[in-house]
């Protein structure tokens, strides 16, 4: 054999030995045993064949020549097997690498997987998914109905809608979020995604795969932010109510309603109590109020729930876990329900309690407690403000009534007239539906409307005979004296000066001192002007006897719409007919 043949055979032998080494140590293990045996036999035959040719083993060569044709045929096959083994090994290594990367991604993102066969309704849930909810493998059957039963009843329609979209070829929302029941009975927020990966000949899905993500903390954090924003908005609304309203009942009514406008509180109620006796003086409730009835009626130590007594003693926020809400606000009949009692304090003493009810398992956050304390402080301030205003109003009235009595020392008729005008005007204002503050102002205006007569000589005021023109000028000048000389520097929160100056004005402009007409006359002036005439006619004066009821009614009817406001006249007529106005 020549040198070239020797070199070629040595190279071939080296290649075969190298291939054999790779086959037996790595890639060959990826193939079946039968394939490895066949490749091994071919390797041996090739080695012997090449050695016999190279070393001129005559006897061996003669034997190997018998298999030469087979070797020549099978050698390409061996190369093919070798190439297949190499490619298969590389593919499996790549697959294992991808699976590792995918599992790492699932683990790092806390993602669970699921696979569903809509035909058999079987569902396969991985261990990660089960760990979200705290179930062991044997606790859940591999049925789609089992999965559906874990979905929160309120979220069931959302899930069913997504499934319908999926099976009809529409995309499944990649952020479909819903609650699922855990092994402990609590609810956890889950985000799901799904995709149909296989359909039958008719296009119906036969294999659906998807991912599930535990987003409970994320969703609840978003909810807490939203709820805090709602509470801040409620506080803003309550502050506007406190500034706008001047009646404590209106304030607590509208404040309760403001607290339940969002979804943070199912119910809200406020009680104000007498500082000395502890009895409830004002109360209001809004939202799901059936649970509140048991504590709104309790105004003694025997009736009040222990939670209120605890607030009274500690002067601090108390949280009561009731375990359930009332029947009318519950889907399943049982829900975690917490009542938060917040004291309203004045100089450290409890003057009322704000109570809110919320549906949740966890305790109120520190931010929620602080904001509720702010609401309670605002309401306590409102109560103080109303009390101070009421005290101030009472002082105004006391001063006015005292002033009227001082006038009565000189002119008892004028004092009695002012008092009667004030009482009748108050009744008219009440019948006309004016608010309490305006009614108080009209009463005060009635007490002071003739205060200018203090400047009129007593001889004129008590004169029994007919008055001269000069004396009538003194009388007719009393509105301006009352406004300019007595009330000018006062600062009443009601239009008392206007009522004092213009209570003799008439709708047709025939009155005095300014000849006002129509819309120039305020409601207060319209009421006081008509009442002044009725009282003056119905009572005796030093210079004349009282007029009869019929005469008064006639004057009212004649002046209705011309001199007197029609609505005021109708109310006065009703009061006269009902005997609410006395005739001397």
């Amino acid at each position: 054999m020549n040198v070239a043949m020797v070199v070629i055979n040595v190279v071939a032998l080296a290649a075969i030995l190298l291939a054999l080494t790779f086959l037996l140590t790595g890639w060959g293990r990826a193939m079946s045993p039968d394939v490895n045996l066949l490749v091994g036999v071919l390797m041996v035959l090739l080695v012997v064949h090449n050695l016999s040719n190279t070393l001129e083993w005559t006897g061996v060569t003669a034997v190997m020549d018998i298999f030469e044709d087979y070797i020549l045929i099978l050698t390409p096959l061996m190369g093919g097997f070798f190439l297949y083994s190499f490619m298969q090994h590389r593919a499996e290594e790549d697959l294992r690498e991808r699976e590792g990367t995918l599992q790492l991604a699932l683990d790092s993102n806390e993602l669970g997987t699921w696979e569903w066969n809509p035909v058999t309704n079987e569902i396969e849930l991985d261990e990660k998914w089960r760990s979200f909810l705290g179930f062991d493998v044997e606790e859940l059957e591999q049925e789609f109905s089992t999965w559906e039963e874990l979905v929160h009843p309120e979220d069931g329609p959302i899930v069913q809608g997504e499934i319908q979209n999926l099976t009809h070829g529409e995309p499944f929302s990649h952020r479909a979020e819903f609650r699922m029941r855990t092994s402990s009975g609590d609810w956890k927020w889950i985000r799901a995604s799904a995709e149909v990966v296989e359909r039958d000949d008719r296009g119906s899905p036969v294999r659906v795969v998807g991912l599930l993500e535990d987003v409970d903390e994320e969703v609840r954090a978003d909810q807490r932010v939203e709820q805090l924003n709602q509470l801040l908005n409620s506080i803003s609304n309550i502050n506007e109510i406190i500034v706008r309203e001047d009646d404590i009942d209106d304030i607590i009514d509208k404040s309760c309603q403001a607290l339940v406008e969002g979804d943070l509180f199912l119910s809200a109620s406020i009680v104000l109590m007498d500082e000395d006796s502890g009895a409830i003086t004002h109360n209001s409730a809004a939202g799901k109020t059936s649970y509140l009835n048991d504590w709104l009626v309790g105004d003694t130590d025997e009736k009040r729930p222990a939670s209120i007594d605890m607030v009274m003693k500690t002067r601090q926020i108390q949280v009561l876990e009731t375990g359930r809400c009332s029947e009318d606000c519950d889907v399943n009949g049982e829900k975690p329900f917490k009542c938060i009692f917040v004291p309203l304090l004045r100089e450290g003493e409890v003057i009322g309690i704000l109570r809110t009810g919320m549906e949740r398992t966890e305790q109120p956050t520190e931010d929620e407690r602080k904001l509720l304390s702010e609401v309670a402080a605002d309401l306590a301030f409102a109560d103080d403000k109303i009390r101070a205003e009421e005290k101030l109003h009472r002082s105004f009235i006391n001063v006015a009534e005292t002033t009227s009595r001082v006038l009565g020392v000189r002119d008892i008729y004028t004092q009695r007239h002012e008092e009667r005008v004030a009482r009748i005007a108050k009744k008219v204002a009440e019948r006309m539906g004016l608010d309490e503050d305006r009614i108080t102002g009209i009463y005060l205006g009635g007490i002071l409307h003739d205060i200018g007569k203090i400047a009129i000589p007593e001889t004129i005021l008590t004169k029994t005979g007919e008055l001269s023109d000069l004396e009538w000028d003194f009388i007719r000048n009393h509105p301006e004296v009352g406004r300019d000389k007595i009330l000018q520097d006062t600062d009443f929160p009601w239009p008392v000066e206007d009522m004092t100056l213009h209570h003799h004005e008439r709708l047709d402009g025939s009155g005095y001192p300014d000849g006002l007409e129509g819309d120039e006359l305020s409601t207060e002036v319209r009421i006081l002007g008509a009442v002044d005439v009725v009282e003056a006619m119905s009572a005796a004066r030093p210079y004349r006897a009282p007029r009869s009821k019929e005469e008064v009614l006639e004057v009212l009817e004649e002046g209705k719409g011309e001199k007197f406001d029609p609505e005021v006249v109708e109310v006065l007529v009703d009061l006269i007919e009902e005997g609410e106005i006395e005739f001397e």
Side-chain angles (χ1 to χ4, degrees):
M1 179 176 296
N2 57 36
V3 178
M5 181 61 69
V6 172
V7 173
I8 292 172
N9 279 284
V10 170
V11 172
L13 177 61
I16 292 170
L17 289 175
L18 182 60
L20 180 62
T21 300
F22 277 101
L23 180 63
L24 296 179
T25 58
W27 297 329
R29 288 198 294 268
M31 303 177 67
S32 67
D34 294 338
V35 173
N36 284 327
L37 178 61
L38 178 59
V39 173
V41 170
L42 288 172
M43 287 289 188
V44 172
L45 291 175
L46 283 170
V47 170
V48 174
H49 182 268
N50 280 281
L51 284 174
S52 65
N53 288 331
T54 302
L55 302 179
E56 297 182 352
W57 293 344
T58 307
V60 175
T61 302
V63 175
M64 294 304 298
D65 286 341
I66 301 174
F67 300 100
E68 184 172 8
D69 292 339
Y70 297 102
I71 292 173
L72 292 175
I73 295 173
L74 294 177
T75 297
L77 292 178
M78 184 191 70
F81 281 128
F82 177 77
L83 181 60
Y84 171 77
S85 174
F86 173 78
M87 296 179 65
Q88 184 183 37
H89 180 72
R90 289 296 302 271
E92 290 183 355
E93 276 192 344
D94 186 59
L95 179 60
R96 282 193 295 271
E97 183 180 348
R98 290 177 180 272
E99 287 178 345
T101 302
L102 177 59
Q103 190 60 49
L104 180 62
L106 293 175
D107 291 341
S108 61
N109 288 283
E110 294 295 320
L111 298 175
T113 61
W114 59 286
E115 184 173 333
W116 172 43
N117 185 332
V119 178
T120 63
N121 225 24
E122 294 179 350
I123 190 169
E124 183 177 342
L125 310 169
D126 73 347
E127 182 178 350
K128 177 69 70 174
W129 185 90
R130 295 170 187 273
S131 69
F132 290 164
L133 305 181
F135 289 106
D136 294 330
V137 175
E138 62 274 7
E139 291 185 82
L140 296 177
E141 296 182 5
Q142 300 285 2
E143 295 289 339
F144 190 75
S145 57
T146 303
W147 187 81
E148 285 184 304
E149 290 171 0
L150 295 177
V151 177
H152 194 287
E154 295 176 0
D155 299 335
I158 298 175
V159 176
Q160 289 296 332
E162 293 288 359
I163 295 297
Q164 288 294 324
N165 291 340
L166 185 67
T167 56
H168 287 83
E170 298 180 24
F172 188 93
S173 172
H174 71 286
R175 289 185 61 88
E177 295 173 352
F178 48 88
R179 289 161 290 179
M180 298 194 75
R181 181 171 53 82
T182 66
S183 58
S184 61
D186 297 326
W187 298 101
K188 177 173 284 191
W189 283 95
I190 300 294
R191 180 180 297 146
S193 63
E195 183 178 353
V196 177
V197 296
E198 186 178 347
R199 296 180 182 272
D200 60 18
D201 296 338
R202 295 173 296 178
S204 300
V206 295
R207 184 167 174 248
V208 179
V209 297
L211 297 176
L212 292 166
E213 182 180 1
D214 181 354
V215 293
D216 194 64
E217 291 186 4
E218 176 186 337
V219 172
R220 293 188 186 279
D222 291 342
Q223 289 176 340
R224 284 192 292 271
V225 171
E226 176 63 26
Q227 289 170 347
L228 283 177
N229 286 336
Q230 289 179 6
L231 186 50
L232 286 170
N233 187 58
S234 295
I235 291 175
S236 176
N237 292 338
I238 289 172
N239 287 334
E240 290 182 8
I241 292 168
I242 290 173
V243 172
R244 184 175 65 250
E245 303 295 336
D246 52 17
D247 180 80
I248 192 61
D249 287 320
D250 289 340
I251 288 175
I252 63 174
D253 285 347
K254 294 178 180 180
S255 295
C256 285
Q257 192 60 47
L259 285 168
V260 299
E261 284 179 352
D263 57 8
L264 177 58
F265 300 117
L266 290 181
S267 60
S269 52
I270 301 168
V271 295
L272 299 178
M273 296 175 287
D274 183 82
E275 292 181 75
D276 298 323
S277 66
I280 293 176
T281 56
H282 303 272
N283 69 76
S284 181
K288 304 293 185 179
T289 58
S290 58
Y291 184 81
L292 307 179
N293 295 334
D294 62 340
W295 82 288
L296 287 179
V297 298
D299 58 0
T300 65
D301 291 341
E302 292 77 15
K303 292 181 180 180
R304 278 200 303 264
S307 53
I308 293 185
D309 286 334
M310 184 63 68
V311 175
M312 299 284 288
K313 292 175 182 177
T314 64
R315 300 177 180 86
Q316 295 178 350
I317 293 177
Q318 300 293 324
V319 179
L320 174 65
E321 299 190 33
T322 68
R324 62 177 295 155
C325 180
S326 55
E327 294 290 341
D328 62 344
C329 64
D330 196 351
V331 176
N332 299 321
E334 294 183 1
K335 283 188 177 181
F337 194 75
K338 284 184 171 58
C339 301
I340 308 171
F341 297 85
V342 187
L344 278 63
L345 301 174
R346 177 187 297 124
E347 298 180 353
E349 297 299 322
V350 178
I351 62 168
I353 294 176
L354 163 66
R355 176 200 179 281
T356 57
M358 54 171 45
E359 180 190 295
R360 71 158 55 153
T361 55
E362 62 269 19
Q363 292 289 331
T365 65
E366 188 63 26
D367 288 333
E368 289 169 343
R369 289 171 178 261
K370 288 180 180 179
L371 290 176
L372 285 174
S373 295
E374 182 178 336
V375 173
D378 291 342
L379 291 172
F381 169 78
D383 186 54
D384 288 344
K385 179 175 75 79
I386 297 298
R387 287 171 182 260
E389 289 177 353
E390 289 176 348
K391 186 176 181 179
L392 179 62
H393 292 177
R394 187 69 254 171
S395 298
F396 279 133
I397 293 172
N398 289 339
V399 169
E401 291 175 342
T402 300
T403 303
S404 180
R405 286 194 293 271
V406 170
L407 179 60
V409 173
R410 299 179 64 250
D411 180 11
I412 189 64
Y413 292 103
T414 298
Q415 179 194 351
R416 291 174 180 173
H417 167 68
E418 287 182 327
E419 290 175 350
R420 276 169 48 89
V421 166
R423 290 197 297 272
I424 296 171
K426 181 180 179 181
K427 290 180 181 180
V428 172
E430 290 172 342
R431 292 281 183 100
M432 291 176 63
L434 301 187
D435 62 64
E436 192 65 34
D437 186 63
R438 292 186 75 181
I439 292 172
T440 299
I442 288 172
Y443 176 81
L444 191 63
I447 289 291
L448 294 175
H449 77 283
D450 274 347
I451 190 66
K453 288 182 179 179
I454 200 170
I456 299 175
E458 185 177 352
T459 55
I460 297 178
L461 292 174
T462 59
K463 183 177 180 179
T464 57
E466 185 176 349
L467 296 176
S468 66
D469 290 342
L470 180 61
E471 291 171 331
W472 269 115
D473 287 340
F474 268 106
I475 295 292
R476 289 169 61 89
N477 201 38
H478 78 273
E480 294 173 287
V481 172
R483 196 276 305 271
D484 298 336
K485 303 297 184 183
I486 301 174
L487 300 179
Q488 187 174 26
D489 294 328
T490 59
D491 188 18
F492 289 107
W494 309 281
V496 175
E497 292 182 33
D498 181 44
M499 288 183 276
T500 300
L501 180 63
H502 294 134
H503 65 275
H504 283 292
E505 301 285 358
R506 299 293 179 260
L507 288 178
D508 59 1
S510 61
Y512 65 89
D514 295 327
L516 301 182
E517 59 181 303
D519 293 339
E520 294 178 308
L521 279 69
S522 67
T523 300
E524 286 82 354
V525 167
R526 295 178 185 217
I527 292 174
L528 215 57
V531 170
D532 184 53
V533 171
V534 169
E535 198 289 323
M537 294 180 67
S538 65
R541 290 290 185 271
Y543 52 88
R544 65 163 174 79
R547 304 290 176 87
S548 67
K549 180 172 72 173
E550 289 73 20
E551 289 177 303
V552 173
L553 289 173
E554 183 179 352
V555 170
L556 287 175
E557 290 297 335
E558 288 178 355
K560 181 178 180 181
E562 182 179 349
K563 294 181 180 297
F564 307 123
D565 183 274
E567 184 179 2
V568 175
V569 170
E570 290 177 5
V571 173
L572 282 170
V573 170
D574 289 341
L575 290 173
I576 292 172
E577 297 292 353
E578 294 168 10
E580 293 290 328
I581 297 177
E582 297 178 359
F583 284 78
E584 297 180 2

